[in-house]
C-alpha cells in the first residue's frame, strides 16, 4: 500500500504542468527601436497627370489650328521681307557668283523678277517659321509630355532657329560657291554655246539649297530630342545607320535640283556628317 501510494503520487507529480508548460509562448514583440524602413522609390506615373482622352476629331482640329499659326507666321514674315527682296537678290547673286559679264542675271519672263522676290520672301518666312513650328508641336503634345520632356521641347525652340541660320550660312559660304564653281568649270570650255544665267532657274537653286540646309541642320536637334524623351537610343541609331544614310541620299536627290549629282552629293554628305557627329558627341558624353 505504501509503495503503491508513493508510485501514484509520483505519477501525479509528473503530470502537474510546470509554469513553463502551462503558459502559452509569448508573442514576438516588434522592436521598439527598429530601423526605419527605407523611403519607398517614387514611381513614375503611367501617364502624365494632364493627359486626357480626346476624340480623334478634336485632335485633328487642334492640329489644323497649330499648322495655321505656323503658316500665318510664315506669311507675315514674307510680307514684311518682300520690300527688301531685290536687295537680297543682288547681295546673294554677287556673293555666290563671280561678278562678270557672263554671270549677269538674265530675265526670260516678264514676271521673273517678281516671282524671284516672292521666293526670297518665302524663304525668310520658312526660316522664321521653323522654331514656331517646333513650339506649336510642343503645345500640341504638351498634355501627353512629362515635365522633363516639356523642358526639352521648350529648349528646342531657340535652338531650332540657331541651327536654321547655321544651315543657311553653311549653304552660303561653302555649298553654293562650290556648286557654281563646278558649274562654271563644267561649261566654260563649251564652244557651241554661250553660257547665260537665268535669274529664275539660278535663284531657284540658291533658295532651294538654303532652305534644304536650314531643315537639314535640324538633324542634331531631332536626334537629341528623341533620345532625351526616350523614343530611341544612341545604340539603336548607330545600328541602323545604313538605313539613315540611304534615306539621306534619297532626300538629297529629291530636293536638290542638279542633274549632274554634285549638289545632292554635297547635301547627302552634310546630312551624314551631322548624323554621325551627333552620335559621336552622344557617345563622348555618355548618353
Amino acid at each position: 500500500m505504501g509503495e503503491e501510494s508513493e508510485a501514484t503520487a509520483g505519477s501525479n507529480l509528473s503530470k502537474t504542468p510546470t509554469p513553463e508548460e502551462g503558459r502559452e509562448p509569448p508573442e514576438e514583440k516588434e522592436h521598439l527601436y527598429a530601423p526605419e524602413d527605407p523611403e519607398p522609390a517614387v514611381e513614375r506615373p503611367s501617364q502624365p497627370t494632364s493627359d486626357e482622352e480626346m476624340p480623334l476629331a478634336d485632335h485633328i482640329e487642334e492640329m489644323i489650328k497649330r499648322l495655321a499659326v505656323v503658316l500665318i507666321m510664315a506669311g507675315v514674315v514674307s510680307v514684311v521681307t518682300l520690300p527688301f527682296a531685290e536687295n537680297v537678290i543682288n547681295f546673294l547673286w554677287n556673293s555666290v557668283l563671280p561678278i562678270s559679264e557672263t554671270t549677269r542675271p538674265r530675265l526670260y519672263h516678264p514676271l521673273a523678277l517678281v516671282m524671284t522676290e516672292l521666293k526670297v520672301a518665302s524663304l525668310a518666312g520658312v526660316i522664321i517659321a521653323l522654331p514656331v513650328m517646333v513650339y506649336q508641336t510642343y503645345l500640341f503634345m504638351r498634355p501627353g509630355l512629362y515635365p522633363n520632356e516639356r523642358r526639352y521641347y521648350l529648349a528646342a525652340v531657340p535652338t531650332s532657329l540657331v541651327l536654321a541660320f547655321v544651315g543657311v550660312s553653311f549653304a552660303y559660304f561653302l555649298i553654293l560657291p562650290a556648286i557654281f564653281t563646278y558649274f562654271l568649270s563644267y561649261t566654260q570650255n563649251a564652244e557651241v554655246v554661250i553660257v547665260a544665267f537665268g535669274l529664275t532657274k539660278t535663284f531657284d537653286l540658291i533658295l532651294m539649297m538654303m532652305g534644304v540646309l536650314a531643315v537639314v541642320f535640324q538633324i542634331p536637334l531631332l536626334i537629341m530630342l528623341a533620345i532625351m524623351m526616350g523614343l530611341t537610343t544612341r545604340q539603336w541609331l548607330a545600328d541602323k545607320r545604313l538605313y539613315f544614310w540611304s534615306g539621306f541620299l534619297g532626300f538629297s536627290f529629291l530636293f536638290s535640283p542638279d542633274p549632274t549629282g554634285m549638289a545632292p552629293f554635297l547635301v547627302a554628305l552634310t546630312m551624314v556628317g551631322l548624323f554621325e557627329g551627333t552620335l559621336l558627341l552622344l557617345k563622348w558624353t555618355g548618353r
Side-chain angles (χ1 to χ4, degrees):
M1 293 290 292
E3 294 178 357
E4 183 179 356
S5 61
E6 288 180 3
T8 305
S11 64
N12 290 335
L13 288 173
S14 63
K15 293 180 180 180
T16 303
T18 61
E20 288 78 8
E21 293 176 345
R23 185 185 305 162
E24 294 182 358
E27 296 182 359
E28 294 184 1
K29 296 183 179 180
E30 297 181 358
H31 295 286
L32 295 178
Y33 299 97
E36 296 181 359
D37 294 335
E39 187 174 332
V42 178
E43 296 183 358
R44 193 182 193 187
S46 60
Q47 64 180 13
T49 55
S50 59
D51 191 13
E52 297 180 0
E53 292 290 337
M54 292 179 60
L56 179 60
D58 292 344
H59 278 294
I60 295 176
E61 182 181 359
E62 183 180 1
M63 183 176 62
I64 293 174
K65 290 180 180 178
R66 302 295 181 194
L67 181 61
V69 172
V70 177
L71 294 178
I72 291 173
M73 176 59 67
V76 170
V77 174
S78 299
V79 171
V80 173
T81 310
L82 187 59
F84 312 98
E86 187 172 348
N87 296 330
V88 175
I89 292 172
N90 290 327
F91 173 77
L92 291 177
W93 190 280
N94 295 329
S95 300
V96 172
L97 290 165
I99 301 176
S100 66
E101 186 64 27
T102 303
T103 58
R104 288 183 60 188
R106 266 72 173 180
L107 299 179
Y108 298 103
H109 190 276
L111 298 178
L113 180 59
V114 176
M115 296 302 297
T116 304
E117 291 175 349
L118 289 174
K119 292 173 184 177
V120 170
S122 299
L123 175 62
V126 169
I127 293 173
I128 300 300
L130 278 175
V132 178
M133 182 181 67
V134 174
Y135 182 66
Q136 291 299 320
T137 304
Y138 161 75
L139 293 179
F140 179 74
M141 299 177 62
R142 187 178 186 276
L145 297 176
Y146 293 101
N148 61 323
E149 295 171 341
R150 295 176 183 176
R151 290 194 296 270
Y152 297 150
Y153 244 104
L154 286 176
V157 175
T159 306
S160 174
L161 183 59
V162 172
L163 290 175
F165 278 108
V166 172
V168 171
S169 301
F170 185 79
Y172 172 75
F173 287 106
L174 295 176
I175 300 298
L176 288 172
I179 290 175
F180 282 106
T181 300
Y182 168 73
F183 288 165
L184 287 172
S185 64
Y186 186 79
T187 57
Q188 66 183 357
N189 296 325
E191 297 179 356
V192 296
V193 296
I194 298 176
V195 179
F197 287 85
L199 177 65
T200 303
K201 295 294 184 181
T202 305
F203 224 82
D204 282 351
L205 177 59
I206 294 174
L207 296 180
M208 177 66 74
M209 295 303 299
M210 286 186 168
V212 166
L213 285 169
V215 176
V216 162
F217 267 73
Q218 306 298 312
I219 289 176
L221 176 62
L222 296 177
I223 292 177
M224 292 288 190
L225 279 177
I227 291 178
M228 288 178 177
M229 295 174 63
L231 301 178
T232 186
T233 61
R234 187 200 66 83
Q235 188 60 47
W236 184 88
L237 293 173
D239 293 340
K240 305 295 182 181
R241 56 166 42 95
L242 292 180
Y243 295 103
F244 283 97
W245 290 7
S246 301
F248 296 156
L249 189 62
F251 175 87
S252 61
F253 273 96
L254 182 63
F255 290 99
S256 301
D258 175 16
T260 67
M262 179 66 173
F265 172 76
L266 292 177
V267 172
L269 188 63
T270 301
M271 297 179 77
V272 171
L274 290 170
F275 180 81
E276 293 297 330
T278 305
L279 294 186
L280 184 62
L281 178 62
L282 290 171
K283 183 178 181 180
W284 180 67
T285 56
R287 294 302 298 267

